[in-house]
């Protein structure tokens, strides 16, 4: 039994204090300080002489103060113990990653499965024994992915899906539950990337970018999360981007959507962490560098051998590995997330200098 688990520590602390709250004067029936206290008025003297409780109202209760001091000291001690354990475990997991979980009994829904990274994800999940549900607005290419999975001996189902249509998402996810079963792994992969300066982006482009890259996450999660919680198993994988960690020119709306995805995943994880049911639902945010799927039309970099585009097969394998190992965040390649975290400790201009040195990004596609 792990004696340093959070639940065990909190249970032990509950013996010392109740509901993690400070004692207040009202809890020990100490009245507030009178407004006239110390002003020397005749009324104050009269009231003070006639009421012992009021006479001592300004005096602090030593028992309450001692309790609150001890509470703070205990909380600080627990914080540092947990923090130290987390640091040690993080270092251990860097050297010896957690064992990947078995996904052979999972139903995996992948959006944008008709081509590129989505197709590679479908093929690789199927190879691991998962039941794959392919969803794409392009039903022809989606059907081709399903056919290829089946040809290779996997189990796959295809559904046409426009992720900008909330009602269609609700209807299709109901069909999936009836025909296939409860989705236990959701991979929000669908996305678009208009690549030109903000002042040259149309209203329609900006709205569509947010509808596909952000709003679809809300509608899919709202449709699937309740069954994940009821089944007590759920894995939600969201494709953000390196552009969700660092701003790039010609990608202002796209960067905005990918930063949003990071916030959605982090806050939703916190929301479920506070859920008293403690459902086994985990979240993984992925930050890929430029993947060679056709979205990145005019890439440039000063160091092509070091900053080369990622093959979709390699990206899919890294995404699945991160999900199976329960990673909260992962970049492709891995070092970019660590490099970004490191550079955030320095002035912003230092990050800009590094960006200028690497000279990596996308030229306008206009």
């Amino acid at each position: 039994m792990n004696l340093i688990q959070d639940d065990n520590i909190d249970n032990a602390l509950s013996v010392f204090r109740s509901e993690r709250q400070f004692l207040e004067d009202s809890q020990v029936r100490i009245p507030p300080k009178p407004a006239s206290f110390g002003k020397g008025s005749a009324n104050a003297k009269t009231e003070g002489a006639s009421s012992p409780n009021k006479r001592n109202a300004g005096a602090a209760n030593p028992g309450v103060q001692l309790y609150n001091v001890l509470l703070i000291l205990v909380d600080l001690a627990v914080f540092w113990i947990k923090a130290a354990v987390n640091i040690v475990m993080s270092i251990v997991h860097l050297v010896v990653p957690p064992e990947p979980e078995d996904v052979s009994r999972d139903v995996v829904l992948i959006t944008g499965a008709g081509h590129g990274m989505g197709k590679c994800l479908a093929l690789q999940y199927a190879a691991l024994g998962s039941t794959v549900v392919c969803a794409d607005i392009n039903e022809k290419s989606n059907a081709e992915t399903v056919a290829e999975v089946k040809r290779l001996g996997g189990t796959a189902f295809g559904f046409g899906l426009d992720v900008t249509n909330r009602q269609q998402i609700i209807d299709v996810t109901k069909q999936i539950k009836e025909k296939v079963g409860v989705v236990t792994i959701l991979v929000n992969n669908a996305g678009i990337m208009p690549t030109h300066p903000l002042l040259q982006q149309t209203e329609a482009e900006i709205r569509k970018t947010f509808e596909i890259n952000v709003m679809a996450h809300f509608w899919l999660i709202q449709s699937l999360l309740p069954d994940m919680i009821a089944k007590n198993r759920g894995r939600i994988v969201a494709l953000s981007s390196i552009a969700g960690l660092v701003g790039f020119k010609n990608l202002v709306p796209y960067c905005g959507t990918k930063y949003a995805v990071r916030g959605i995943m982090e806050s939703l994880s916190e929301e479920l962490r506070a859920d008293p049911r403690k459902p086994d639902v985990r979240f993984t945010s992925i930050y890929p560098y430029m993947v060679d799927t056709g979205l990145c039309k005019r890439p440039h970099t000063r160091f092509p051998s070091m900053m080369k585009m990622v093959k979709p097969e390699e990206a899919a394998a890294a995404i699945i590995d991160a999900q199976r190992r329960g990673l909260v965040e992962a970049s492709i390649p891995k070092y970019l997330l660590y490099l970004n975290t490191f550079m955030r400790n320095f002035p912003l201009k230092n990050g800009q200098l590094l960006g200028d040195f690497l000279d990596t990004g996308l030229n306008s596609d206009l």
Side-chain angles (χ1 to χ4, degrees):
M1 181 179 180
N2 188 351
L3 296 178
I4 57 174
Q5 287 181 344
D6 289 355
D7 289 345
N8 292 331
I9 294 174
D10 288 338
N11 289 337
L13 286 175
S14 66
V15 177
F16 174 71
R17 38 93 183 270
S18 174
E19 298 182 359
R20 308 174 73 95
Q21 294 178 349
F22 287 112
L23 285 177
E24 298 177 353
D25 286 349
S26 61
Q27 293 174 279
V28 290
R29 298 182 181 177
I30 298 177
K33 177 180 178 180
S36 59
F37 184 84
K39 292 184 178 180
S41 67
N43 289 339
K45 291 179 181 179
T46 303
E47 291 173 4
S50 63
S51 174
N53 284 338
K54 290 182 179 180
R55 212 169 40 238
N56 297 326
N61 186 309
V64 172
Q65 288 190 332
L66 178 60
Y67 176 88
N68 289 338
V69 169
L70 289 174
L71 181 58
I72 291 173
L73 292 175
V74 170
D75 278 342
L76 281 172
V78 171
F79 168 80
W80 285 114
I81 291 170
K82 288 183 177 180
V85 171
N86 289 337
I87 291 170
V88 171
M89 294 307 298
S90 296
I91 294 171
V92 170
H93 286 160
L94 281 175
V95 180
V96 184
E99 286 295 316
E101 66 180 12
D102 179 22
V103 293
S104 62
R105 297 182 181 180
D106 284 288
V107 175
V108 185
L109 171 58
I110 303 166
T111 62
H115 67 285
M117 205 154 51
K119 182 174 184 176
C120 293
L121 284 164
L123 293 170
Q124 292 184 28
Y125 266 116
L128 292 169
S130 304
T131 298
V132 176
V133 179
C134 301
D136 201 298
I137 194 170
N138 188 327
E139 296 191 32
K140 181 181 177 182
S141 62
N142 199 51
E144 290 171 356
T145 299
V146 171
E148 188 168 347
V149 169
K150 291 180 177 179
R151 182 176 60 81
L152 295 172
T155 303
F157 298 83
F159 293 85
L161 181 62
D162 177 0
V163 295
T164 67
N165 187 326
R166 182 176 183 271
Q167 187 57 51
Q168 189 179 129
I169 287 175
I170 294 170
D171 295 339
V172 169
T173 52
K174 285 182 180 177
Q175 294 175 32
I176 293 170
K177 183 179 179 180
E178 293 169 0
K179 296 180 180 180
V180 185
V182 173
V183 171
T184 51
I185 300 178
L186 167 64
V187 184
N188 275 316
N189 166 70
I192 61 172
M193 188 172 64
T195 311
H196 35 274
L198 176 63
L199 297 183
Q200 296 179 25
Q201 300 230 9
T202 66
E203 178 187 353
E205 279 180 319
I206 295 171
R207 288 187 181 278
K208 189 175 181 180
T209 302
F210 273 83
E211 287 288 343
I212 295 175
N213 293 8
V214 178
M215 301 309 295
H217 288 253
F218 289 115
W219 314 145
L220 283 157
I221 290 171
Q222 283 188 333
S223 298
L224 298 172
L225 184 57
D227 284 331
M228 290 181 176
I229 293 174
K231 194 178 179 66
N232 197 35
R233 179 171 174 80
R235 307 289 182 262
I236 297 177
V237 180
L239 270 293
S240 182
S241 168
I242 291 301
L245 299 174
V246 179
F248 289 93
K249 65 180 181 181
N250 296 323
L251 290 174
V252 175
Y254 181 79
C255 286
T257 64
K258 295 306 181 179
Y259 270 85
V261 167
R262 184 182 188 185
I264 291 166
M265 293 290 280
E266 186 172 320
S267 55
L268 183 57
S269 175
E270 282 299 294
E271 193 165 282
L272 262 68
R273 191 170 72 92
D275 191 316
R277 294 170 293 181
K278 303 297 180 185
D280 183 18
V281 179
R282 303 175 193 173
F283 302 87
T284 300
S285 298
I286 305 293
Y287 309 102
Y289 179 63
M290 291 183 284
V291 182
D292 192 8
T293 60
L295 280 180
C296 303
K297 295 180 177 64
R298 299 186 62 193
H300 67 84
T301 181
R302 183 179 180 182
F303 303 102
S305 58
M306 183 178 73
M307 305 289 290
K308 61 183 179 181
M309 294 182 73
V310 180
K311 294 181 180 179
E313 297 83 3
E314 295 174 358
I319 292 166
I320 294 172
D321 185 68
Q323 177 268 302
R324 294 180 66 201
R325 295 184 189 276
L327 301 185
V328 175
E329 293 183 311
S331 64
I332 307 170
K334 290 182 178 180
Y335 74 86
L336 289 178
L337 183 60
Y338 302 121
L339 178 61
N340 177 72
T341 302
F342 176 74
M343 291 304 300
R344 292 288 180 180
N345 294 301
F346 297 94
L348 175 62
K349 289 185 177 180
N350 285 27
Q352 293 171 337
L353 286 172
L354 178 62
D356 293 342
F357 174 73
L358 296 174
D359 190 22
T360 296
L362 294 169
N363 294 314
S364 174
D365 55 9
L366 295 180

